[in-house]
Amino acid sequence: MKIKKYTAALCLSAAVLLTSCGMYSKDDKRVLDAVELYDSGDYSGALAELTDAAAMDFKSMNPETYYFYLGETYFKLEDYEKALEAHSKAVEIKPDIFKSWVTIGVCQRKLGNDTEALKAYENALRYDPENADSVGLYVSLGTLYISKDKPYTAIDYLEKAAAIYPEQPAAHAYLAIAYAMAYEYEKSDEQLVLASGYNYENIEAVKERIEEIKRR
């Protein structure tokens, strides 16, 4: 499922037209207004509208769409526990919402729950492995498995990222680390060259990490 992102103009025109026709309830209108505010960067205003729509007396709005935007709004406001709660409700209703699973994973990681983050990321990929955001997700999974000292699993995910987007510098940088952890130093060196060639910003930190691995 791809969540439809309403533009401000679309939200406003749709709300006026459909409310006047009786197709939208007041809560539908509040969610549309919230999306307009969200798109403009007014996350506090969006949250106020979404809170007012909490009765969820909808005629046209899907409940999972409400929880999706509620979760994204809380995430923007850095309330990761409430963002996690809202997105969890969204995927209870509609399990194949890619972006909800991604945000759940990010929230879990920020809350220090790496194992739950892995599950969420893997769910996202199971439902939509070809999504445009999948490259970053593969890299995130790779870094998590590096942190869990599982270099071969990390390599699998990072190689997928590099195959989809060969110019992704982070994929090559973390591949260099993962290969070093797996004692494949020649491959590590090759990936380090690629990461540097694609201007990975923290290349010196990666080199230091690899030297630490080699000294173990």
Side-chain angles (χ1 to χ4, degrees):
M1 174 183 175
K2 295 187 183 301
I3 294 293
K4 185 174 182 179
K5 184 175 182 180
Y6 299 95
T7 64
L10 176 60
C11 288
L12 184 59
S13 61
V16 171
L17 175 62
L18 295 177
T19 301
S20 66
C21 295
M23 294 177 65
Y24 272 21
S25 68
K26 288 182 178 179
D27 283 349
D28 289 322
K29 172 67 164 55
R30 289 184 181 109
V31 175
L32 288 171
D33 287 345
V35 174
E36 182 179 351
L37 291 166
Y38 179 94
D39 287 344
S40 71
D42 183 359
Y43 305 121
S44 295
L47 181 59
E49 291 291 343
L50 290 165
T51 301
D52 285 344
M56 297 175 62
D57 180 22
F58 299 139
K59 286 186 177 180
S60 300
M61 187 67 57
N62 293 323
E64 65 269 25
T65 302
Y66 168 78
Y67 283 121
F68 173 83
Y69 276 106
L70 182 63
E72 289 297 282
T73 302
Y74 275 127
F75 184 84
K76 291 292 188 180
L77 293 169
E78 300 184 1
D79 190 335
Y80 303 120
E81 290 184 353
K82 288 186 178 179
L84 176 59
E85 181 181 352
H87 276 294
S88 295
K89 288 179 180 177
V91 296
E92 283 177 11
I93 299 167
K94 189 73 173 175
D96 60 351
I97 305 175
F98 177 89
K99 185 63 172 64
S100 279
W101 282 115
V102 172
T103 304
I104 287 170
V106 175
C107 289
Q108 293 284 20
R109 197 165 187 185
K110 286 184 177 291
L111 294 170
N113 305 322
D114 284 357
T115 298
E116 295 303 315
L118 285 171
K119 292 178 183 177
Y121 289 152
E122 288 168 348
N123 274 332
L125 289 173
R126 184 169 77 248
Y127 286 117
D128 196 353
E130 302 301 324
N131 190 285
D133 294 328
S134 293
V135 172
L137 200 50
Y138 283 126
V139 172
S140 293
L141 280 161
T143 63
L144 276 169
Y145 278 110
I146 285 172
S147 71
K148 288 182 170 291
D149 200 24
K150 294 183 177 181
Y152 295 105
T153 307
I155 287 167
D156 287 343
Y157 282 114
L158 293 165
E159 284 183 342
K160 289 177 182 177
I164 296 170
Y165 184 18
E167 297 178 4
Q168 166 57 265
H172 297 294
Y174 287 109
L175 267 172
I177 293 170
Y179 277 128
M181 293 171 68
Y183 306 105
E184 297 188 47
Y185 298 126
E186 185 174 336
K187 288 184 178 180
S188 177
D189 290 342
E190 291 172 355
Q191 294 299 320
L192 193 60
V193 169
L194 287 170
S196 180
Y198 291 128
N199 299 314
Y200 184 70
E201 292 182 357
N202 299 316
I203 195 68
E204 293 304 319
V206 173
K207 291 178 181 178
E208 290 176 9
R209 178 82 177 274
I210 291 170
E211 289 305 314
E212 289 175 5
I213 293 168
K214 290 180 177 179
R215 288 195 295 268
R216 291 177 185 173

